């Protein structure tokens, strides 16, 4: 199985289309979407419908905090601009699309792989896994050898060795890594729809369960068109600038 790993799509049609086309070129035969299909971007209906279509054909999908928020009263800890987009997004989605987001699971299991938007330790708390401490907490919460998650908008890979020690690796663009079966890993592909590591190319990853090779990809796309859509929709301009600047 060649599994494409996509997270934090954030209603960015151009970025998602580019990543899906790239994954098809890489001969991906399974897809996993790790949440946050809406928020920030200007094409929530197209993005959610695309994910729904892939799920109907067997893809995995889990719920992100923005997906959770768009189907419920906004959480007070969400900043004002994000809440504004959430309110706008509700009016853009069809009832079936809202129902799809509302009923997504927080986690999914496939063999020795666990899929979650944030931390496996307590998925509904939406903890950011930014360092070794948070990664160890997430990994210790599951017996799965591989945890795939998102939420932090930048690629990362954590390894919990068979002696219990946890370390962090920063994948370089288009890097390929062979995962050792005796270790436990937490892989964050980075954001499709709003990268925040000073690189505006979209992020996704591909895992081959036969070779145990994990590949991190950066996919250039028309971020200018996506930014213009944000401005044209009347959404906060900060979200357009992030697409251009990659921060």
């Amino acid at each position: 199985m060649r599994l494409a790993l996509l997270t934090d799509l954030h209603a960015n049609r151009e970025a998602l289309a580019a990543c899906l086309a790239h994954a098809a070129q890489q001969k991906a035969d399974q897809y996993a979407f790790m949440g946050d299909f809406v928020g920030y971007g200007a094409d929530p209906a197209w993005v959610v419908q695309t994910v729904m279509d892939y799920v109907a054909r067997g893809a995995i999908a889990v719920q992100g905090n923005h997906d959770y928020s768009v189907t419920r009263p906004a959480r007070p800890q969400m900043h004002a601009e994000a809440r504004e987009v959430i309110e706008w997004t509700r009016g853009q989605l069809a009832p079936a699309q809202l129902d799809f987001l509302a009923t997504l699971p927080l986690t999914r299991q496939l063999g020795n792989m666990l899929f979650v938007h944030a931390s496996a330790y307590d998925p509904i708390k939406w903890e950011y896994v930014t360092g070794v401490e948070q990664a160890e907490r997430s990994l210790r919460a599951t017996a799965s050898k591989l945890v795939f998650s998102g939420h932090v908008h930048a690629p990362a890979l954590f390894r919990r060795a068979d002696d219990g020690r946890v370390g962090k690796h920063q994948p370089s663009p288009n890097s390929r890594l062979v995962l050792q079966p005796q270790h436990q890993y937490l892989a964050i592909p980075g954001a499709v729809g709003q990268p925040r590591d000073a690189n505006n190319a979209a992020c996704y990853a591909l895992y081959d369960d036969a070779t145990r090779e994990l590949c991190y990809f950066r996919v250039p796309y028309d971020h200018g068109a996506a930014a213009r859509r944000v401005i044209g929709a009347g959404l906060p301009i900060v979200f357009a600038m992030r697409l251009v600047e990659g921060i």
Side-chain angles (χ1 to χ4, degrees), residues 212-225:
R212 300 188 62 84
E213 188 177 61
L214 178 66
C215 305
Y216 284 79
F217 294 109
R218 301 305 295 250
V219 182
Y221 74 99
D222 192 347
H223 55 270

Side-chain angles (χ1 to χ4, degrees), residues 166-226:
V166 179
K168 181 178 181 180
H169 173 71
Q170 191 63 51
S172 57
N174 303 312
S175 62
R176 298 171 182 268
L177 303 155
V178 177
L179 307 187
Q180 302 301 318
Q182 70 270 29
H183 302 317
Q184 190 184 25
Y185 294 88
L186 190 159
I188 302 173
V192 170
Q194 197 188 86
R196 295 182 190 166
D197 60 347
N199 182 343
N200 60 24
C203 306
Y204 88 99
L206 188 78
Y207 177 66
D208 188 323
D209 69 347
T211 63
R212 300 188 62 84
E213 188 177 61
L214 178 66
C215 305
Y216 284 79
F217 294 109
R218 301 305 295 250
V219 182
Y221 74 99
D222 192 347
H223 55 270

